[in-house]
């Protein structure tokens, strides 16, 4: 079968089965606080006080001061000086005891302030986490929560769960978790999961092992559908496919990058022919946009009632073209490659995330609302992987 366009392709070997990788936990954070003992190193001098009248003391014995040798009772916090008694100097403050009490008080205040600061930081951290989790769906539309059949691991937008979002199935780091359906995507050796801030992405090296494949077909091309993904291409030339469907002689559809009029452009292409009949394709291209190393939201739709396909780039409609029907190629959904003339082509080079499949065709208004996170009511995807 021919697809009518004969894009450049090169044979690529199937990767060996059983490849995988793990993600060892990172080193624990080293947090700690030291509390050096306070005090130390204080010196005080004790000058001799001159005898002066005390205006607040009642006169006794004819208004004279008590004899110099008369002992005065000690007051709390004071100690008696050694040596000859001096009027007014027989009771002096116990400077060392007061210094110790002052140091102890400072230490208590310091501990209290540190404790308060830690509490405030903990509250702020908790609030920030809630904000991140609660608002994670805000740029891509606020989708409904996953169905009950979804494996344990909450959606990023489900802030009521204490668990963190995971991109892969528990115990298998090479199988992308379907957040809304039950169809995982098996990753080839060179399409690897990688952190993307608080989210996850897959990164392809642009070779024959940079692929992902579901266990079964995901999109029913005989009915309306919408597929969407965020893509970052680091390839300077050639065909680079974000996703397609089919593993037989040819594809049913492909979404990605191709050269149009000598320049890279985002494209959505479908196969309309059938085996035994002359194959034809229909393509919508977004020309004149920067493709290389530019984070881009791609959305492709097929409206079975209108019999038309459309491509949206960052929420804006790039074009639309009529199609008779889409050929239902055998085989599952593919990430990072497409089938042409029994050969795998278009190996993905760059990053992919936020991949979703809907069982309806988005309108132009819905596509714009999806980009701005203002899609209401928010349709529930049939399948989703690598969510934000």
């Amino acid at each position: 079968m021919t697809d009518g366009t004969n894009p450049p392709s090169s044979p690529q070997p199937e990767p060996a089965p059983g490849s995988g990788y793990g993600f060892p936990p990172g080193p624990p954070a080293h947090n700690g606080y030291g509390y050096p003992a306070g005090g130390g190193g204080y010196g005080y001098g004790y000058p001799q006080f001159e005898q002066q009248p005390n205006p607040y003391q009642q006169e006794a014995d004819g208004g004279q001061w008590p004899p110099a040798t008369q002992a005065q009772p000690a007051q709390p916090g004071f100690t008696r000086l050694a040596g000859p008694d001096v009027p007014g100097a027989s009771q002096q403050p116990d400077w060392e005891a007061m210094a110790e009490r002052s140091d102890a008080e400072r230490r208590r205040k310091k501990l209290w302030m540190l404790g308060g600061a830690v509490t405030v930081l903990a509250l702020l951290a908790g609030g920030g986490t809630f904000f991140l989790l609660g608002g994670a769906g805000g740029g891509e539309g606020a989708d409904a929560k996953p169905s009950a059949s979804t494996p344990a691991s909450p959606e990023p937008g489900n802030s009521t769960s204490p668990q963190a979002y995971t991109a892969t199935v528990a115990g298998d780091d090479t199988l992308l978790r379907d957040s809304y359906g039950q169809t995982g995507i098996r990753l080839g050796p060179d399409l690897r999961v990688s952190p993307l801030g608080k989210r996850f992405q897959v990164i392809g090296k642009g070779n024959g092992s940079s692929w992902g494949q579901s266990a079964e077909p995901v999109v029913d091309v005989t009915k309306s559908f919408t597929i969407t993904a965020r893509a970052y291409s680091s390839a300077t030339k050639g065909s680079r496919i974000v996703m397609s469907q089919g593993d037989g002689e040819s594809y049913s559809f492909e979404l990605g990058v191709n050269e149009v009029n000598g320049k890279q452009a985002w494209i959505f292409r479908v196969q309309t022919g059938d085996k035994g009949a002359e194959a034809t394709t229909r393509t919508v291209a977004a020309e004149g946009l920067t493709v290389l190393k530019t984070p881009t939201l791609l959305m492709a739709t097929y409206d079975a009632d209108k019999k038309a396909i459309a491509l949206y780039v960052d929420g804006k409609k790039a074009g639309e073209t009529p199609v008779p029907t889409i050929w239902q190629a055998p085989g599952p959904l593919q990430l990072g490659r497409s089938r042409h003339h029994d050969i795998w082509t278009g190996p993905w080079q760059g990053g992919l995330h936020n991949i979703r499949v809907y069982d309806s065709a988005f309108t132009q208004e819905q596509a714009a609302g999806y980009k701005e996170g203002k899609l209401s009511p928010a349709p529930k995807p049939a399948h989703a992987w690598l969510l934000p």
Side-chain angles (χ1 to χ4, degrees), residues 343-375:
I343 297 173
W344 290 116
T345 64
W348 181 255
Q349 181 176 324
L352 298 172
H353 74 99
N354 199 9
I355 301 165
R356 308 188 192 202
V357 175
Y358 294 86
D359 292 336
S360 61
F362 279 24
T363 64
Q364 186 169 352
E365 291 75 17
Q366 286 178 307
Y370 182 90
K371 170 63 171 62
E372 300 300 327
K374 299 177 181 179
L375 186 58

Side-chain angles (χ1 to χ4, degrees), residues 268 270 282-284 307-311 319-323:
F268 177 47
V270 299
R282 295 289 187 273
T283 303
V284 179
K307 293 191 179 301
I309 60 172
L311 174 64
E320 179 179 296
T321 190
V323 298

Side-chain angles (χ1 to χ4, degrees), residues 120-133:
V120 171
L121 288 175
L123 291 173
L124 288 176
T129 302
F130 179 84
F131 174 78
L132 288 171
L133 294 178

Side-chain angles (χ1 to χ4, degrees), residues 45 51 55 115 179 238 286 292 374:
Q51 297 183 11
S179 294
L292 182 63
K374 299 177 181 179

Side-chain angles (χ1 to χ4, degrees), residues 279-358:
T280 57
T281 61
R282 295 289 187 273
T283 303
V284 179
E287 298 184 65
L289 302 178
T290 301
V291 173
L292 182 63
K293 296 182 179 180
T294 304
T296 304
L297 172 61
L298 300 175
M299 178 180 289
T301 67
Y302 169 61
D303 190 322
D305 294 330
K306 292 174 57 178
K307 293 191 179 301
I309 60 172
L311 174 64
Y312 299 87
V313 179
D314 288 329
K316 297 180 180 180
K317 193 172 186 177
E320 179 179 296
T321 190
V323 298
T325 57
I326 299 178
W327 179 56
Q328 193 167 9
L333 184 76
Q334 306 289 331
L335 292 185
R337 65 180 181 179
S338 182
R339 195 74 168 173
H340 284 248
H341 310 295
D342 290 318
I343 297 173
W344 290 116
T345 64
W348 181 255
Q349 181 176 324
L352 298 172
H353 74 99
N354 199 9
I355 301 165
R356 308 188 192 202
V357 175
Y358 294 86

Side-chain angles (χ1 to χ4, degrees), residues 75-373:
Q75 301 295 325
F78 286 74
T79 185
R80 191 179 304 280
L81 290 175
D85 292 335
V86 179
S90 60
Q91 293 181 0
Q92 293 294 329
D94 187 345
W95 298 105
E96 294 182 359
M98 295 178 66
E100 291 177 358
R101 287 196 300 271
S102 177
D103 290 340
E105 183 65 23
R106 281 197 296 269
R107 285 194 296 272
R108 282 195 298 270
K109 288 182 178 180
K110 181 178 180 180
L111 290 173
W112 181 86
M113 293 176 66
L114 286 173
V118 170
T119 301
V120 171
L121 288 175
L123 291 173
L124 288 176
T129 302
F130 179 84
F131 174 78
L132 288 171
L133 294 178
E140 301 299 343
D143 293 326
K145 294 181 180 179
S147 63
S149 62
T150 302
S153 278
E155 277 291 278
N158 184 4
S159 60
T160 61
S161 173
Q163 302 178 28
Y165 172 79
T166 58
T168 56
V169 173
D172 191 344
D173 289 333
T174 66
L175 185 63
L176 293 183
R177 185 178 67 85
D178 187 347
S179 294
Y180 285 87
Q182 295 180 317
T183 305
I185 295 180
R186 178 67 61 187
L187 299 178
D190 289 330
L191 189 64
R192 303 291 186 92
V193 176
S194 176
L196 181 64
K198 298 289 184 180
R199 302 167 291 176
F200 296 93
Q201 63 180 340
V202 287
I203 298 179
K205 294 184 178 180
N207 58 29
S209 297
S210 302
W211 57 269
Q213 178 175 286
S214 65
E216 58 189 6
V218 169
V219 180
D220 184 351
V221 297
T222 66
K223 301 177 181 179
S224 297
F225 67 85
T226 295
I227 55 176
T228 181
R230 282 195 173 274
Y232 180 91
S233 175
S234 57
T236 59
K237 60 182 179 179
S239 173
R240 306 291 172 173
I241 301 303
V242 171
M243 73 175 89
S244 68
Q245 185 162 282
D247 63 357
E249 182 180 350
S250 187
Y251 60 90
S252 281
F253 64 81
E254 60 181 8
L255 172 66
V257 179
N258 209 343
E259 292 189 5
V260 178
N261 296 323
K263 295 182 179 181
Q264 286 188 320
W266 297 110
I267 60 97
F268 177 47
R269 180 181 291 126
V270 299
Q271 189 76 264
T272 63
D274 200 352
K275 193 171 183 178
E278 183 179 356
T280 57
T281 61
R282 295 289 187 273
T283 303
V284 179
E287 298 184 65
L289 302 178
T290 301
V291 173
L292 182 63
K293 296 182 179 180
T294 304
T296 304
L297 172 61
L298 300 175
M299 178 180 289
T301 67
Y302 169 61
D303 190 322
D305 294 330
K306 292 174 57 178
K307 293 191 179 301
I309 60 172
L311 174 64
Y312 299 87
V313 179
D314 288 329
K316 297 180 180 180
K317 193 172 186 177
E320 179 179 296
T321 190
V323 298
T325 57
I326 299 178
W327 179 56
Q328 193 167 9
L333 184 76
Q334 306 289 331
L335 292 185
R337 65 180 181 179
S338 182
R339 195 74 168 173
H340 284 248
H341 310 295
D342 290 318
I343 297 173
W344 290 116
T345 64
W348 181 255
Q349 181 176 324
L352 298 172
H353 74 99
N354 199 9
I355 301 165
R356 308 188 192 202
V357 175
Y358 294 86
D359 292 336
S360 61
F362 279 24
T363 64
Q364 186 169 352
E365 291 75 17
Q366 286 178 307
Y370 182 90
K371 170 63 171 62
E372 300 300 327

